């Protein structure tokens, strides 16, 4: 059943209703086939873009919808409840636009943002490397100054939408000082010298490719550097705070879908002459699942409202990401338990939800990294 939400205005309510309608008509009917066959859903992002769902939190001045993060994240949650892989890609697209929005100059914004936010393009975020995941300061992909631009050499890993995206927000080393020698670049998909590996064979989110990227003497103009030289790590971490909220919302969407399916099954299945939801052991399990979903939602909304109010929210973003993704893992595992043997089969979606929940504990900073960020925030000088 639809989530009972407290929204700021009627426009937000209408937007959530539109999202649920698109989910029911466009996403839910095809998700099982594409996830099972690991096939890309051609045309889906164009439909989301046409509905204005790919640029919700970005400024209206540049073609975005200017929606508060509180509303955008709830839209993302609704998408995730229908199709987690698509929701992750939408979140990553927003993450990829953030550096240009927040750190680009007006000439760069006017040149590229209208296209990026038009709904006709999808972006990807390119920070991680095979030996630089949680330790972002250790990136080795190099951008060497040359003439009127940079020559890029090296590799990137774990790129959502790799090989399919229209643009890539790349972080590459331009100096030798660890943590201060990294810069941010906006890379077009058709850049000569840029190629991609085969899609990773993943546990979940199979319909959207995750790949490595390889730069072989790829030349970019200097005006494609976003922000100052050496400012890349600050830009990356600024974007990741928002991205972590996106993953928290996706995790809640997955958990809500698992809860809904478990409740539907428990209300339909009977044992010993009673609906299984009426057995206290199972009813209490479902109650704990519902409490976990509601609590996780409240946590990411608190962080989002702080962001919307212009208040610091980095620690709250890490808390939301940690709480929501751990809750999603627990709720989806319990949903499989509620369904029993059939929950372990692919006849029901709960086994996919459990597989999808696992990655939310890993990307945008593992939950061990989130605990580190939170702990640092508790340390007094």
């Amino acid at each position: 059943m639809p989530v009972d939400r407290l929204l700021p205005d009627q426009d937000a309510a209408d937007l959530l209703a539109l999202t649920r309608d698109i989910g029911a008509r466009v996403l839910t009917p095809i998700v099982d086939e594409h996830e099972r066959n690991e096939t890309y859903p051609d045309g889906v992002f164009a439909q989301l873009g046409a509905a204005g769902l790919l640029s919700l939190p970005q400024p209206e001045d540049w073609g975005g919808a200017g929606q508060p993060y509180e509303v955008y994240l709830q839209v993302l949650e609704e998408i995730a409840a229908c199709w987690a892989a698509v929701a992750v890609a939408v979140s990553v697209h927003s993450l990829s636009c953030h550096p240009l929005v927040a750190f680009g100059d007006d000439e760069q914004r006017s040149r590229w943002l209208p296209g990026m936010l038009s709904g006709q393009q999808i972006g990807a975020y390119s920070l991680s490397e095979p030996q630089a995941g949680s330790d972002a300061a250790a990136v080795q992909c190099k951008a060497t100054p040359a003439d009127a631009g940079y020559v890029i050499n090296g590799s990137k890993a774990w790129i959502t939408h790799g090989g399919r995206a229209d643009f890539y927000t790349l972080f590459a080393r331009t100096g030798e000082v660890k943590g201060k020698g990294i810069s941010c670049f906006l890379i077009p998909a058709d850049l000569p010298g840029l190629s991609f590996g085969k899609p990773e064979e993943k546990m979940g989110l199979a319909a959207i490719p995750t790949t490595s990227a390889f730069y072989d003497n790829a030349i970019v103009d200097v005006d494609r550097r976003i922000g100052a030289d050496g400012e890349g790590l600050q830009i990356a971490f600024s974007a990741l705070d928002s991205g972590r909220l996106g993953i928290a919302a996706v995790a809640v969407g997955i958990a809500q879908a698992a809860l809904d399916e478990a409740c539907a099954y428990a209300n339909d299945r009977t044992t010993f002459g009673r609906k299984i939801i009426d057995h206290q052991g199972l009813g209490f399990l479902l109650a704990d699942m519902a409490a976990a979903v509601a609590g996780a939602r409240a946590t990411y909304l608190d962080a989002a409202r702080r962001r919307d109010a212009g208040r610091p929210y980095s620690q709250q973003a890490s808390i939301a990401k940690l709480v929501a993704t751990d809750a999603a893992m627990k709720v989806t595992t319990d949903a499989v338990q509620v369904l029993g043997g059939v929950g372990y089969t692919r006849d029901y979606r709960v086994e996919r939800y459990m597989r999808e929940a696992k990655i939310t504990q890993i990307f945008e900073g593992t939950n061990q990294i989130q605990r580190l960020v939170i702990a640092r925030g508790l340390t007094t000088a």
Side-chain angles (χ1 to χ4, degrees), residues 297-321:
R297 180 178 296 114
T299 305
Y300 87 63
L301 285 174
D302 172 71
R305 288 164 182 154
R306 292 172 184 271
R307 185 188 190 280
D308 290 333
R311 296 176 60 178
Y313 71 99
S314 182
Q315 186 179 27
Q316 286 79 12
S318 286
I319 291 172
K321 200 271 187 182

Side-chain angles (χ1 to χ4, degrees), residues 12 25 36-37 53 57 67 120 172 177 194 197 249 269 304 313 379:
R25 290 188 298 101
R36 185 177 295 112
N37 298 327
L53 301 185
Q67 286 291 327
Q120 299 175 15
V177 180
L194 171 60
R269 171 82 166 160
Y313 71 99
T379 303

Side-chain angles (χ1 to χ4, degrees), residues 2 15 48 54 57 108 141 148 208 221 275 291 312 323 358 366:
L15 179 58
L48 295 179
L54 295 185
Q108 290 173 318
C141 181
I208 304 298
D221 295 336
K275 294 179 180 180
V323 169
K358 184 62 212 174
T366 66

Side-chain angles (χ1 to χ4, degrees), residues 48-50 52-66 93-98 100-101 109 112-123 167:
L48 295 179
L53 301 185
L54 295 185
S55 58
L56 291 175
Q58 311 302 347
E60 292 180 281
D61 290 348
W62 305 107
H93 171 71
S94 181
L95 184 72
S96 304
C97 294
H98 175 83
L100 181 55
V101 171
R109 293 189 189 106
W112 290 306
L113 271 181
M116 292 163 64
L117 303 181
S118 66
Q120 299 175 15
Q121 295 183 18
I122 196 78
F167 62 90

Side-chain angles (χ1 to χ4, degrees), residues 100-283:
L100 181 55
V101 171
F103 294 89
D105 59 39
D106 284 347
E107 193 281 329
Q108 290 173 318
R109 293 189 189 106
S110 62
R111 182 177 178 186
W112 290 306
L113 271 181
M116 292 163 64
L117 303 181
S118 66
Q120 299 175 15
Q121 295 183 18
I122 196 78
Y125 198 74
S126 192
L127 174 62
S128 295
E129 296 180 3
Q131 303 302 320
S134 296
D135 185 6
V139 300
Q140 293 300 311
C141 181
K142 288 188 176 181
T144 305
D147 295 333
Y150 293 83
V151 179
I152 303 177
N153 284 285
S155 63
K156 289 289 177 179
W158 308 113
I159 303 171
T160 298
H161 246 136
R164 288 278 188 170
D166 298 291
F167 62 90
Y168 297 83
T169 296
L170 169 72
F171 296 88
R173 183 164 296 283
T174 54
E176 295 304 320
V177 180
K178 183 177 181 181
K180 296 183 179 179
I182 297 169
S183 298
C184 178
F185 299 88
L186 182 64
I187 303 296
D190 59 356
L191 180 71
L194 171 60
S195 61
F196 299 91
K198 72 178 184 68
E200 302 290 346
E201 297 180 1
K202 299 174 293 185
M203 181 186 294
L205 310 183
I208 304 298
T210 301
T211 68
S212 296
F214 306 97
Y215 291 86
D216 183 11
N217 290 321
I219 300 174
V220 296
D221 295 336
V222 69
D223 63 1
R224 283 192 171 270
R225 190 190 72 216
I226 307 302
D229 189 281
E231 196 178 15
L233 211 56
Q234 175 188 345
I235 295 172
F237 289 159
S238 170
L240 284 173
D241 283 340
S242 298
R244 284 165 180 164
L245 291 183
I247 296 308
V250 169
V252 173
I254 295 170
Q256 183 67 58
L259 173 63
D260 289 346
E261 183 146 347
C263 286
Y265 186 85
N267 276 286
D268 182 65
R269 171 82 166 160
T270 60
T271 59
F272 305 105
R274 302 165 64 192
K275 294 179 180 180
I276 62 173
I277 197 171
D278 293 330
H279 295 282
Q280 188 179 82
L282 199 61

